[in-house]
Amino acid sequence: MPEPLLRVRNLAKSFPLPRSPVDAVRRRPGEAVHAVDGVSFDVPRGRTLGLVGESGCGKSTLGRCLLRLYRPDAGEVWFDGVDLVRLEEPDLRPYRKRMQVVLQDPYSSLDPRQTVGSALLEVLGVHGIGSAADRPERVARLLTQVGLRPADARKYPGEFSGGQRQRVSIARALAVGPELLVADEPVSALDVSIQAQILDLLLELRRSLGLTMIFISHDLRVVRYLSDDVAVMYLGKIVEHAPAPELFARPRHPYTLALLSAIPEVDEPARPAVEILGEPSSAVHVPPGCRFHPRCPWKVERCLHEAPRLREVAPGHRVACHEARA
């Protein structure tokens, strides 16, 4: 296994709640949304970790903490041997080039009044990449690399389709030559046929550029296609983490089983249905014990008061469940 480019240890991030909509400065003592709570994992160089879970589970917040777009409340994010959590903003500048993000909505992340070429030139200029004379050629190569034409540099974001705008966002992320790419729901707003094209593009870029990726999605089918390893999140914690083939062949956590049983399988035997009831618990008032126990069909008395640790039940396969078996 390659050495990890990214090591995350006991990462936590919460957001204090405002006392009221009128007075958003004063906070309720102790009242906060616990978005990420004690998350640990490694991502080896050149591999893709799929991060999956329901909306509100904390996966996007986790991605932003990894990039230091949010400053974690606790924990460590070791990137190539350096703990990014300890760095102040000026010291983070060299690492911004090495870590980039592709967001869910490409239109909202692009300036509608700025041509695509101008946006890419701005990135190159801010980071001092190339000379002013050779930057237009770099922009042309970037657009070609993501499946667009060099002439598209003269267009505005509104002149592109959703899939083409996402290609522009990917080109902008690649402009600085990153080693780590965090893709946060990059295809969820696109039509299915366009999703496949963008996924194929990301897969090819990972292979040709040797990228390490964090791929965030609520769709296990998409995660299965692109990921080497998969981490399943529930209410701020990772409940299962395994190599992708192992997780899809032998899921051990009831939440993972429920997610997988909801996927229609065409070429494979149907999985036994696992039904979970109700809605996810509040991230403000987190249940004691196992966070999944209010919805879990396997729960026992122990689950109500003792939080399960993420333990290894098979080589490389970790599960946070008292009832999970090896």
Side-chain angles (χ1 to χ4, degrees):
M1 185 69 70
E3 281 297 311
L5 175 66
L6 189 69
R7 289 183 182 271
V8 180
R9 294 293 180 268
N10 301 313
L11 197 67
K13 178 65 180 177
S14 60
F15 299 94
L17 290 175
R19 183 175 180 180
S20 70
V22 176
D23 184 7
V25 176
R26 298 175 62 187
R27 310 291 183 180
R28 303 172 186 170
E31 290 281 294
V33 176
H34 303 283
V36 178
D37 191 1
V39 167
S40 299
F41 59 86
D42 294 344
V43 185
R45 292 178 184 272
R47 291 179 71 86
T48 296
L49 173 68
L51 198 59
V52 67
E54 293 171 290
S55 296
C57 72
K59 55 189 188 293
S60 291
T61 299
L62 175 56
R64 284 162 171 75
C65 287
L66 300 180
L67 295 165
R68 271 297 306 273
L69 299 177
Y70 294 155
R71 186 158 200 163
D73 300 328
E76 303 168 349
V77 178
W78 293 89
F79 177 81
D80 199 18
V82 176
D83 184 6
L84 301 181
V85 175
R86 297 177 180 272
L87 298 183
E88 298 300 329
E89 190 58 40
D91 300 318
L92 275 170
R93 183 70 178 268
Y95 294 94
R96 297 295 186 197
K97 291 172 61 174
R98 302 176 66 185
M99 307 180 298
Q100 287 292 303
V101 63
V102 177
L103 299 172
Q104 177 178 357
D105 182 0
Y107 194 74
S108 65
S109 63
L110 297 170
D111 187 345
R113 298 166 298 180
Q114 187 178 33
T115 65
V116 163
S118 175
L120 294 174
L121 286 170
E122 183 178 44
V123 172
L124 297 172
V126 166
H127 289 281
I129 298 174
S131 65
D134 70 10
R135 284 172 191 159
E137 178 59 29
R138 287 177 178 266
V139 168
R141 289 201 301 268
L142 282 167
L143 291 174
T144 302
Q145 190 174 30
V146 298
L148 297 173
R149 300 173 304 160
D152 290 330
R154 296 190 293 270
K155 294 183 179 179
Y156 290 88
E159 299 179 72
F160 293 98
S161 67
Q164 289 174 324
R165 284 196 291 266
Q166 197 59 287
R167 290 176 186 270
V168 172
S169 295
I170 294 170
R172 185 174 59 181
L174 296 179
V176 293
E179 297 166 56
L180 175 68
L181 184 66
V182 176
D184 188 0
E185 298 274 13
V187 298
S188 62
L190 306 177
D191 293 339
V192 173
S193 60
I194 306 301
Q195 285 185 11
Q197 295 174 20
I198 298 299
L199 290 174
D200 285 340
L201 173 63
L202 289 172
L203 197 59
E204 175 56 32
L205 290 172
R206 192 196 76 173
R207 290 170 178 165
S208 62
L209 301 177
L211 289 172
T212 304
M213 291 180 58
I214 305 285
F215 187 84
I216 300 171
S217 179
H218 65 277
D219 190 337
L220 274 166
R221 292 171 298 181
V222 171
V223 168
R224 183 178 192 174
Y225 182 75
L226 199 66
S227 304
D228 299 302
D229 306 283
V230 179
V232 181
M233 284 192 73
Y234 184 81
L235 210 59
K237 284 189 174 291
I238 291 178
V239 297
E240 188 160 11
H241 184 190
E246 165 73 10
L247 183 133
F248 283 94
R250 286 172 290 278
R252 310 297 179 93
H253 196 281
Y255 179 60
T256 308
L257 284 162
L259 293 177
L260 289 172
S261 66
I263 300 175
E265 298 286 357
V266 178
D267 300 324
E268 299 180 11
R271 297 179 183 274
V274 176
E275 184 179 6
I276 55 176
L277 303 175
E279 297 294 325
S281 301
S282 169
V284 178
H285 304 290
V286 178
C290 176
R291 300 183 176 202
F292 187 59
H293 85 254
R295 307 173 71 192
C296 183
W298 296 359
K299 66 182 174 186
V300 295
E301 180 64 27
R302 182 184 181 188
C303 304
L304 307 183
H305 55 80
E306 182 182 343
R309 63 181 180 84
L310 195 63
R311 58 190 174 90
E312 191 169 64
V313 295
H317 194 151
R318 299 185 298 156
V319 182
C321 178
H322 296 308
E323 294 297 293
R325 298 290 181 260

